[in-house]
Amino acid sequence: MSRAVARKKLRVSGVVQGVGFRPFVYRLAQKHRLAGHVRNTSSSVELEIEGDPLALDAFLHDFVSDTPALARLQEVVAEDVLPLGEDKFTILASQDSGPTAAVIPADVALCPDCAREISDPQDRRYLYPFTNCTNCGPRFTIIRNVPYDREQTTMAAFALCPDCREEYANPLNRRFHAEPTACPVCGPNLWLEYDGQRWERHALARAGELLRDGRIIAVKGLGGFHLACDARQAAAVELLRQRKGRQDKPFAVTVRDMRVAEEICELTDSDRRLLASPASPIVLVRRRAGTDLAPGLAPGNNYLGLMLPYTPLHLLLLQHSPPVLVMTSGNRSEEPLAFDNDEARRTLGHLADGFLFHNRGIQVPCDDSVIRLIPEIGPTIIRRARGYVPEALALPLTCPEDILGVGAQDKNTFCLGWDRSALLSQHLGDLDSLETFDYFRYAIEHFKALSQRQPSVVAHDLHPSYLSTRYAQELRDVRRLGVQHHHAHIAACLAEHGRLGPCLGLAFDGTGYGLDGAIWGGEILLADLAGYRRAGHFAPVLLPGGEAAVRHPGRMALAYLQAAYGDAAFQQAERLGLTFSPLERQILERQLATGWNSPTTTSAGRLFDAVAAALNICRRRTYEGQPALELEMAAEYAEDEFYPIPVIKQDQRLVLDTVALFRHTVEDFLQGAPPNRAAGRFHESLARVCLEICLQLREETGLNLVALSGGVWQNGLLALRTVARLSQAGFEVLTHQQTPPNDGGIALGQVAVVAAVLGMQTP
Ligand code: ZN
Ligand code: ZN
Ligand code: FE
């Protein structure tokens, strides 16, 4: 035999584990009659192929062009090695080989093949709620460690039955090496606990019946528990609000199928695609008028958070239950998601009438992701979790060391950075409860284990009392670097677009610790990843009573009235119908006159609060962001009139006269403008002044790149108008697409800033 034989070794990194990658390689090797092997390492997939050189080339061609749908190739390194004379291709056991960049796949929504099987009476997985395959099912939430093998997941407790074992071992089967595979014989099972009884056989049917009767059922799903009730029964929705201690904050719903979704909401093509995507997030979609949904579902909101059933369990439950279910995180407001059966009995016992349990363990809880599609801008991720985490983000620069960014306080996420990868955690919640703080610490350790990284540098916010900052300060044997909040916002936006800057950064949010001790939040920065200059900001006003003014938008309106009208503030407040008790008035007068207990702020979020209260659109805030959200919802979208906002140069900085903007809005309203038009004009005016500022700064600096970051950019109307105006003027505009514009993106920005700063120190 003198035929030429060659052998190649390939190392492939990216999302390549848990996505049917090894079976794909196996089938490809069979097709091209190649010998060799493939195996998972903790960092990558490694394969060697041997055979005819032409066949090797054909293999490589298919390898790149036919990659499995869920796989993401980051890097493929190939080298020639000596042929070994093998004649078979095999899948080898995983090899654990030291510190690596293993990319764990995210959880994937039920695939069409599995959906078909569970609705086929002839199939052995008919009605089985834990059906999955290499194309779908749990991943991130069940993985204990790397490499990703069944033994390292919570499925290790279930030994495969002979049928499942055969599928698992058959390279031509869809379940070949599907690590969480299961069937009714060998896999997890489901039961309902209600009224001291336990149903196993008809658990789903019984749960559906209870939901139809207006009961609240805690449902254990993929990444934790949901509290479910019939979204059309006002009493059930009201009861859930009472028990959860959640007054107005919108509830998300799960619908039986796309047809039901169309009945209650107006969907665009992009909405439909996103709803049915493998990540299957909650999508904020415009609701139809005149549906029979409970009025208390999402008060003051024209949008509804909607998702499709993304596990077989949810799909089957929705076939028995009412067609639209409230599905809200199983926790008390602002506490972390419950995910363990015993813990759920303890913490949700007084919230739910019954429990739909299963015995597949959840290793790490993960909330549903929430996305809003803004026309002409694209997806804006409001909460990044299930379906997206832990997919690594590519950094535009190399981390000289391993970096941990601990994020901010609210909507906390953290981020691990190494080489050119950033692993942003799932949404963890507000770090003010002990439970969330414990969850934060646990999740950091878990991510360190999964990525096998020991960060030597920790990046944190400058706010001294954020729990994330305190956590950073208590760590031993690491260096610490503080990153200014709004710089981190802009850096996050640059980084996710693979950019280093410099740019004009418009960082608009509620609260961020400023360098002068003031509360910043309407900030115009000239920034690159390594540094920034504060080029401008909103007009400073007092924040009477600090946090108290954040909770009471009426007090914020008064602070603006004081800035606009001085002594006539209370008189103007009266004309607006804003009333204060005598005691409240006394305190506010003193705070505004002396600045007692009242820091100054340039916060954009607080301006929205003040306007929402002045226009009587929202005077009672029961959740974070409510006034701004309701102001946007009330605003006339087509409005094109606006108020002039002066821009004043002060101490080398541009100050947007946002007090004048407030005064114009109030006077327009008092002269009879309907609140929705005044609200529309307010938005349009802000968009215009953003353009004006950017034009002035482009003139000065020559910069043409603009990055928009901060929670205020979740406002679709403001984002739409601002991006349109800036683009018309020839600016290149970056908005967040892969990470949230709110504080959920801060940790990525912290990592990017520290990577840039360290990079300059070690050239
Ligand atoms: Zn499947
Ligand atoms: Zn089985
Ligand atoms: Fe922020």
Side-chain angles (χ1 to χ4, degrees):
M1 297 290 273
S2 60
R3 259 179 60 216
V5 169
R7 188 175 177 100
K8 274 189 191 301
K9 180 174 181 168
L10 276 73
R11 189 169 289 122
V12 189
S13 65
V15 181
V16 287
Q17 297 191 16
V19 291
F21 203 79
R22 287 171 302 168
F24 155 72
V25 169
Y26 181 92
R27 284 193 291 269
L28 215 55
Q30 301 296 71
K31 177 179 163 192
H32 296 289
R33 304 167 148 274
L34 297 173
H37 65 256
V38 59
R39 72 170 152 216
N40 282 348
T41 70
S42 51
S43 62
S44 55
V45 167
E46 223 176 64
L47 58 114
E48 292 189 20
I49 41 172
E50 175 169 337
D52 180 77
L54 288 176
L56 284 182
D57 286 345
F59 174 97
L60 289 176
H61 177 268
D62 288 358
F63 182 79
V64 178
S65 60
D66 295 344
T67 314
L70 298 173
R72 301 268 177 287
L73 301 189
Q74 216 170 49
E75 197 179 30
V76 182
V77 184
E79 57 177 310
D80 292 315
V81 291
L82 280 178
L84 300 177
E86 281 180 326
D87 58 0
K88 260 178 50 194
F89 193 89
T90 46
I91 295 183
L92 299 180
S94 296
Q95 191 185 46
D96 196 342
S97 64
T100 53
V103 186
I104 303 288
D107 301 303
V108 186
L110 180 70
C111 78
D113 289 327
C114 289
R116 201 167 12 75
E117 286 172 354
I118 62 169
S119 20
D120 174 4
Q122 304 308 316
D123 195 280
R124 69 189 193 90
R125 289 190 174 83
Y126 180 51
L127 302 183
Y128 183 57
F130 305 97
T131 302
N132 65 79
C133 72
T134 36
N135 300 320
C136 74
R139 303 283 189 275
F140 171 58
T141 49
I142 60 165
I143 293 175
R144 292 197 174 119
N145 214 334
V146 288
Y148 172 49
D149 276 332
R150 190 177 179 95
E151 289 64 38
Q152 306 260 37
T153 71
T154 60
M155 286 301 291
F158 302 93
L160 291 174
C161 70
D163 286 342
C164 284
R165 174 154 300 285
E166 197 190 300
E167 292 170 342
Y168 182 88
N170 176 2
L172 300 173
N173 192 284
R174 199 172 91 248
R175 295 200 167 84
F176 181 58
H177 279 263
E179 307 302 342
T181 190
C183 79
V185 176
C186 67
N189 62 306
L190 185 75
W191 70 95
L192 176 81
E193 287 179 16
Y194 177 74
D195 204 14
Q197 282 175 287
R198 179 181 163 118
W199 279 265
E200 294 207 5
R201 268 177 59 81
H202 299 290
L204 285 166
R206 183 79 185 108
E209 222 169 86
L210 289 168
L211 287 163
R212 274 196 309 263
D213 285 347
R215 300 288 194 279
I216 296 169
I217 304 294
V219 181
K220 183 178 182 182
L222 200 58
F225 281 79
H226 282 115
L227 291 167
C229 75
D230 183 355
R232 288 178 306 185
Q233 295 187 41
V237 172
E238 201 37 53
L239 186 65
L240 182 55
R241 285 206 177 278
Q242 272 173 24
R243 289 189 186 168
K244 240 194 133 178
R246 175 157 153 159
Q247 291 185 34
D248 300 324
K249 193 175 179 184
F251 281 136
V253 298
T254 303
V255 294
R256 186 174 291 159
D257 51 30
M258 197 67 91
R259 200 182 48 79
V260 175
E262 307 265 9
E263 276 169 22
I264 57 174
C265 291
E266 292 168 22
L267 303 182
T268 63
D269 277 341
S270 349
D271 290 332
R272 284 183 206 104
R273 269 197 304 277
L274 189 54
L275 282 167
S277 68
S280 191
I282 294 174
V283 183
L284 296 179
V285 290
R286 200 167 266 281
R287 50 201 289 202
R288 285 188 196 281
T291 64
D292 56 356
L293 296 175
L297 207 52
N301 203 325
N302 319 330
Y303 287 76
L304 198 59
L306 187 108
M307 59 182 155
L308 292 175
Y310 54 84
T311 73
L313 192 160
H314 293 104
L315 187 82
L316 295 167
L317 175 64
L318 264 294
Q319 288 171 359
H320 291 280
S321 75
V324 188
L325 290 182
V326 169
M327 280 273 184
T328 184
S329 307
N331 54 4
R332 275 193 68 80
S333 282
E334 315 309 332
E335 280 176 16
L337 205 62
F339 65 102
D340 168 84
N341 289 359
D342 286 334
E343 178 199 289
R345 277 190 197 96
R346 201 172 59 243
T347 58
L348 304 179
H350 55 295
L351 304 183
D353 299 309
F355 283 89
L356 200 50
F357 281 122
H358 61 69
N359 57 351
R360 185 176 70 202
I362 297 173
Q363 182 64 28
V364 60
C366 192
D367 267 299
D368 297 312
S369 294
V370 181
I371 300 188
R372 177 172 181 191
L373 286 164
I374 300 175
E376 283 138 67
I377 292 181
T380 298
I381 301 203
I382 292 173
R383 189 163 77 194
R384 186 175 178 276
R386 178 181 53 76
Y388 299 96
V389 175
E391 210 169 278
L393 301 157
L395 287 171
L397 77 180
T398 304
C399 300
E401 301 171 48
D402 294 356
I403 303 167
L404 168 66
V406 292
Q409 173 87 348
D410 291 350
K411 305 183 175 69
N412 180 276
T413 64
F414 61 86
C415 183
L416 285 178
W418 68 88
D419 301 340
R420 289 179 81 103
S421 297
L423 201 56
L424 186 64
S425 79
Q426 74 272 35
H427 164 90
L428 302 174
D430 299 350
L431 286 188
D432 40 20
S433 77
L434 200 60
E435 288 81 0
T436 314
F437 189 53
D438 284 345
Y439 174 28
F440 165 83
R441 279 191 300 213
Y442 164 75
I444 289 178
E445 292 311 313
H446 187 60
F447 271 65
K448 274 159 61 177
L450 290 186
S451 58
Q452 303 185 13
R453 295 279 156 185
Q454 270 304 335
S456 47
V457 190
V458 175
H460 59 84
D461 200 276
L462 297 178
H463 201 302
S465 53
Y466 280 180
L467 283 183
S468 56
T469 307
R470 292 197 192 160
Y471 168 86
Q473 271 152 2
E474 281 162 17
L475 288 178
R476 298 279 151 253
D477 305 322
V478 292
R479 275 179 300 146
R480 279 168 278 273
L481 280 168
V483 178
Q484 201 279 327
H485 189 88
H486 302 96
H487 183 210
H489 268 307
I490 298 301
C493 186
L494 284 171
E496 76 153 73
H497 286 277
R499 305 292 287 263
L500 301 163
C503 71
L504 309 176
L506 307 188
F508 294 175
D509 67 357
T511 301
Y513 196 78
L515 293 187
D516 51 3
I519 296 170
W520 293 7
E523 308 308 310
I524 320 289
L525 308 181
L526 296 176
D528 59 14
L529 293 184
Y532 73 97
R533 176 168 84 76
R534 193 185 191 204
H537 52 79
F538 281 22
V541 295
L542 288 179
L543 191 64
E547 269 302 298
V550 180
R551 285 194 306 273
H552 298 281
R555 296 189 189 178
M556 207 56 229
L558 191 73
Y560 267 93
L561 288 170
Q562 164 87 21
Y565 300 101
D567 290 345
F570 278 99
Q571 225 173 313
Q572 286 294 75
E574 222 157 278
R575 295 181 66 200
L576 290 165
L578 269 171
T579 53
F580 303 95
S581 72
L583 178 64
E584 211 183 0
R585 180 173 171 149
Q586 215 185 341
I587 294 172
L588 285 166
E589 267 174 343
R590 176 156 168 231
Q591 287 171 333
L592 292 173
T594 65
W596 168 64
N597 195 20
S598 303
T600 48
T601 186
T602 52
S603 163
R606 297 295 85 77
L607 172 64
F608 278 78
D609 290 358
V611 171
L615 299 180
N616 197 16
I617 286 166
C618 175
R619 288 182 175 168
R620 191 188 67 147
R621 170 197 185 268
T622 68
Y623 63 91
E624 193 266 326
Q626 182 179 11
L629 180 75
E630 293 187 1
L631 186 66
E632 184 203 342
M633 293 299 139
E636 172 57 56
Y637 253 64
E639 184 62 52
D640 55 8
E641 289 181 35
F642 62 95
Y643 314 118
I645 310 178
V647 175
I648 308 147
K649 189 131 195 179
Q650 230 172 49
D651 307 332
Q652 299 305 306
R653 289 201 294 261
L654 301 174
V655 180
L656 289 70
D657 194 348
T658 34
V659 171
L661 169 59
F662 179 83
R663 199 181 56 233
H664 284 303
T665 313
V666 162
E667 279 164 15
D668 195 16
F669 175 60
L670 287 175
Q671 280 157 24
N676 63 323
R677 300 209 52 186
R681 289 168 191 161
F682 167 79
H683 282 85
E684 173 64 11
S685 313
L686 256 187
R688 282 178 180 258
V689 77
C690 285
L691 171 65
E692 196 189 316
I693 291 261
C694 288
L695 287 172
Q696 281 198 29
L697 290 172
R698 179 163 70 182
E699 192 70 29
E700 266 177 40
T701 63
L703 292 176
N704 196 49
L705 181 67
V706 182
L708 307 182
S709 189
V712 167
W713 296 108
Q714 291 167 166
N715 182 314
L717 179 55
L718 182 68
L720 183 67
R721 292 295 177 99
T722 307
V723 171
R725 300 227 167 264
L726 289 169
S727 309
Q728 272 162 22
F731 286 100
E732 184 190 355
V733 189
L734 307 178
T735 60
H736 282 264
Q737 314 242 300
Q738 303 180 63
T739 59
N742 60 43
D743 285 3
I746 286 284
L748 172 66
Q750 291 172 339
V751 165
V753 167
V754 167
V757 170
L758 292 177
M760 293 193 328
Q761 291 167 357
T762 50

